[in-house]
Amino acid sequence: MASQQHLEKMQLRQNYRNLWHTDLITTIHRHPLYCCFALWCGPCASYMLRKRALYDDMSRYTCCAGYMPCSGRCGESKCPEFCLCTEVFLCFGNSVASTRFLLQDEFNIQTTKCDNCIIGFMFCLQQIACIFSIVAMIVGSDEIQEASQILSCLADMVFCTVCACMQTQHKVEMDKRDGKFGPQPMAVPPVQQMSRIDQPIPPAAGYPPAAYGQPYPAQGYPPAAYPPPQYPPSGYSS
């Protein structure tokens, strides 16, 4: 039942209308400093981003943002800061993904096909490295063992790099939300509007959709006023 709800939620995210302000490919050269920080100190970045995603109100905190079976069963209400520290260090990948889902559901953001391909490649590489490690353990071949170590190292490098880009993407999105560039900052939504996996429909929050097909007067261009035509007096000939 829970897996079916997760599947329906993932399908619902494909219908979201908004896009990330920065895609995964461009985060490195657009925001290199924060990307390096998220690469070398990923758990610290994950902690700060989750707290910021909750508008610095830790009373909203739930383990893995409410998207995992353990959510709400870890005593988060008694000591949310300690639980968040435990989450980002012991379940780093889940902490990054949960913050991503939290922002997507709050602001109706879909992930582009290019970003999905990058994330899918990361998962596939991890699975291939795991399979090679199992085969090397069973066969006992030095060549396969060496290949599995190379694949595992490559998979870890890709994982850390993609997670750093994702966290940079989240940071830029919250900069946009908080009005650090662009429009004025958005108001803090009520607690019940922070979307969770058990909500069938995302809350009516997010960035206002762009208006297309507006007539020119609605865009600040008044229609030009032409003077009435002047006719020559009667009897005039050129």
Side-chain angles (χ1 to χ4, degrees), residues 6-225:
H6 280 269
L7 180 61
E8 292 175 356
K9 194 70 174 180
M10 294 296 293
Q11 292 175 349
L12 184 62
R13 291 192 185 103
Q14 300 300 319
N15 298 324
Y16 289 168
R17 298 300 182 90
N18 297 315
L19 298 175
W20 294 101
H21 188 78
T22 304
D23 54 23
L24 289 178
I25 295 179
T26 59
T27 52
I28 296 179
H29 68 84
R30 285 188 179 181
H31 308 276
L33 294 180
Y34 193 89
C35 200
C36 290
F37 166 69
L39 177 65
W40 297 109
C41 195
C44 298
S46 182
Y47 182 95
M48 292 187 295
L49 290 174
R50 175 67 63 78
K51 186 176 180 181
R52 188 178 172 190
L54 298 173
Y55 298 88
D56 294 324
D57 182 6
M58 291 302 291
S59 64
R60 299 173 179 257
Y61 172 74
T62 305
C63 180
C64 294
Y67 297 104
M68 298 297 168
C70 63
S71 302
R73 303 177 182 179
C74 303
E76 301 97 321
S77 59
K78 298 179 180 179
C79 191
E81 288 82 5
F82 176 77
C83 289
L84 180 56
C85 284
T86 305
E87 177 189 335
V88 299
F89 278 100
L90 299 184
C91 305
F92 173 69
N94 285 340
S95 70
V96 175
S98 298
T99 301
R100 185 178 188 83
F101 295 154
L102 186 65
L103 294 175
Q104 283 188 273
D105 292 341
E106 184 180 356
F107 299 116
N108 299 339
I109 302 174
Q110 64 169 300
T111 300
T112 62
K113 292 182 179 180
C114 181
D115 287 0
N116 281 331
C117 289
I118 294 174
I119 298 172
F121 172 75
M122 175 188 70
F123 286 131
C124 289
L125 193 59
Q126 289 178 325
Q127 297 298 322
I128 294 173
C130 181
I131 293 173
F132 263 74
S133 298
I134 296 174
V135 172
M137 181 180 61
I138 296 175
V139 176
S141 173
D142 293 338
E143 291 79 6
I144 299 179
Q145 183 68 33
E146 184 178 357
S148 68
Q149 292 177 355
I150 294 174
L151 275 175
S152 296
C153 182
L154 181 61
D156 291 340
M157 291 176 58
V158 173
F159 174 79
C160 293
T161 303
V162 173
C163 284
C165 293
M166 289 174 65
Q167 299 210 86
T168 306
Q169 193 179 47
H170 303 164
K171 184 258 184 186
V172 173
E173 199 66 33
M174 284 186 279
D175 286 346
K176 178 182 177 182
R177 179 197 71 183
D178 297 337
K180 293 190 176 182
F181 59 88
Q184 293 297 317
M186 298 179 61
V188 180
V191 176
Q192 63 269 21
Q193 288 193 4
M194 301 297 287
S195 180
R196 294 291 186 267
I197 193 67
D198 55 350
Q199 289 182 310
I201 301 176
Y207 306 114
Y212 299 100
Q214 294 289 340
Y216 280 108
Q219 296 181 359
Y221 299 97

